[in-house]
Amino acid sequence: FGSLSGLGFCYSITKGPENATVLAGSEARFNCTVSAGWQVLIWLCKGSPVLTVISSQGPVETTERFTSHNYSSGDEFTSELIILNTQLSDSGRIECSIQQPSENNFAFLSVQVNGSLLIKNSTLTVKENQTIEIVCEALGWAPAPAITWMTNDSLVDKSSYVTQQSPGSHGLHNALSTLTLTPRDTEVLTCLADIEALPSPQNATVTLIYDNSATENHYSEDNRSTWVVVLAVVLSFLGIVLLIVVIVVAVRCCLKRRGSTYQNEIR
């Protein structure tokens, strides 16, 4: 095909493929548009030919996972490479070649893996002034996900949690994020894991149930103590009043008895 240029055939790639980021298992699509006069268009993945399009014959597919659609508009021809069931190993350079010097256009395919996300407990009960740690575990991601936390739909300050990343098996990555907080009320905590290929972050939640029964018991004990003190004061007061009444009655009785004895003596 190298002699085509020397024979006066003048054609070129007018628009090459563009970079793509997709999730593993989905499709990846790349377009390559060439001007009139082209003879052969070859798609290469990481340097290896995966599909050939011949102007007089059409696409020659050698692998089931690599197929194509063709479109014509005026004098231009567009070949769309479709990679089915993308794998992490497909990541790399995707090249469109028409067998002419300086007429190779390329883009990069990034295949990402959406792993699992887990918070072990779905609900937790916390007491007043209790500081707890919530652990969110992301396993089997590529690349390692960015972890953020939310509480009742508000972002948690980054200083409240620490995220550690570690390599996993088969080129995947793990992440462990630990959130430390002292709840003041019942709240819902959400751990979010995000990579570029995800339309929205994956999430895991835990509900913190705030238990203030200890405070209520404290108030109840205080109330009981108050009533005990009040009752003691009232009883003491009543005791003093009763003692005064007894003394007054005793004195009157004594005076009355003394008066009666005096009258008898006079008689």
Side-chain angles (χ1 to χ4, degrees):
F1 300 116
S3 62
L4 293 176
S5 177
L7 293 175
F9 292 94
C10 184
Y11 50 88
S12 62
I13 296 176
T14 59
K15 186 176 181 181
E18 297 180 353
N19 295 342
T21 301
V22 300
L23 285 174
S26 64
E27 293 182 358
R29 294 172 178 258
F30 298 90
N31 288 332
C32 183
T33 302
V34 297
S35 60
W38 70 279
Q39 299 297 314
V40 176
L41 186 151
I42 301 175
W43 284 102
L44 301 97
C45 179
K46 298 165 64 174
S48 298
V50 293
L51 188 141
T52 301
V53 184
I54 302 173
S55 61
S56 60
Q57 180 180 343
V60 179
E61 300 175 0
T62 57
T63 306
E64 289 184 356
R65 286 204 309 119
F66 295 89
T67 184
S68 69
H69 286 164
N70 300 327
Y71 311 92
S72 294
S73 177
D75 291 336
E76 293 186 331
F77 171 84
T78 299
S79 173
E80 181 181 38
L81 174 68
I82 305 171
I83 307 175
L84 304 174
N85 189 25
T86 54
Q87 308 296 319
L88 187 60
S89 58
D90 293 330
S91 296
R93 178 166 162 156
I94 303 296
E95 189 174 356
C96 170
S97 172
I98 57 174
Q99 298 292 286
Q100 289 212 72
S102 304
E103 282 298 336
N104 288 12
N105 272 247
F106 62 88
F108 287 96
L109 169 62
S110 174
V111 179
Q112 301 187 343
V113 178
N114 178 21
S116 64
L117 192 68
L118 174 68
I119 297 177
K120 291 184 178 180
N121 298 313
S122 59
T123 59
L124 284 174
T125 301
V126 294
K127 298 186 180 298
E128 183 185 19
N129 296 325
Q130 181 183 358
T131 299
I132 61 171
E133 290 186 345
I134 307 295
V135 177
C136 180
E137 192 173 22
L139 299 175
W141 292 70
I147 304 290
T148 55
W149 288 84
M150 297 187 73
T151 173
N152 295 339
D153 299 325
S154 298
L155 282 173
V156 175
D157 190 273
K158 292 183 178 180
S159 62
S160 300
Y161 57 90
V162 176
T163 302
Q164 297 176 321
Q165 298 178 354
S166 60
S169 58
H170 307 294
L172 302 178
H173 302 269
N174 303 326
L176 196 70
S177 187
T178 303
L179 172 65
T180 304
L181 75 163
T182 305
R184 297 286 182 267
D185 201 354
T186 295
E187 56 187 309
V188 177
L189 292 172
T190 304
C191 173
L192 303 168
D194 195 21
I195 52 178
E196 182 183 351
L198 278 178
S200 60
Q202 189 180 157
N203 66 81
T205 61
V206 57
T207 301
L208 298 184
I209 300 174
Y210 185 71
D211 180 11
N212 58 356
S213 59
T215 303
E216 293 175 354
N217 291 337
H218 177 69
Y219 289 152
S220 298
E221 291 175 2
D222 286 348
N223 290 337
R224 285 197 295 270
S225 299
T226 301
W227 278 109
V228 169
V229 171
V230 170
L231 185 61
V233 170
V234 170
L235 290 177
S236 298
F237 177 75
L238 291 177
I240 293 172
V241 171
L242 182 60
L243 179 60
I244 293 173
V245 170
V246 170
I247 293 174
V248 169
V249 171
V251 169
R252 292 188 63 181
C253 288
C254 290
L255 291 177
K256 188 174 181 180
R257 289 181 60 188
R258 289 179 63 184
S260 176
T261 302
Y262 177 71
Q263 289 176 358
N264 292 334
E265 288 178 355
I266 292 177
R267 290 185 183 146

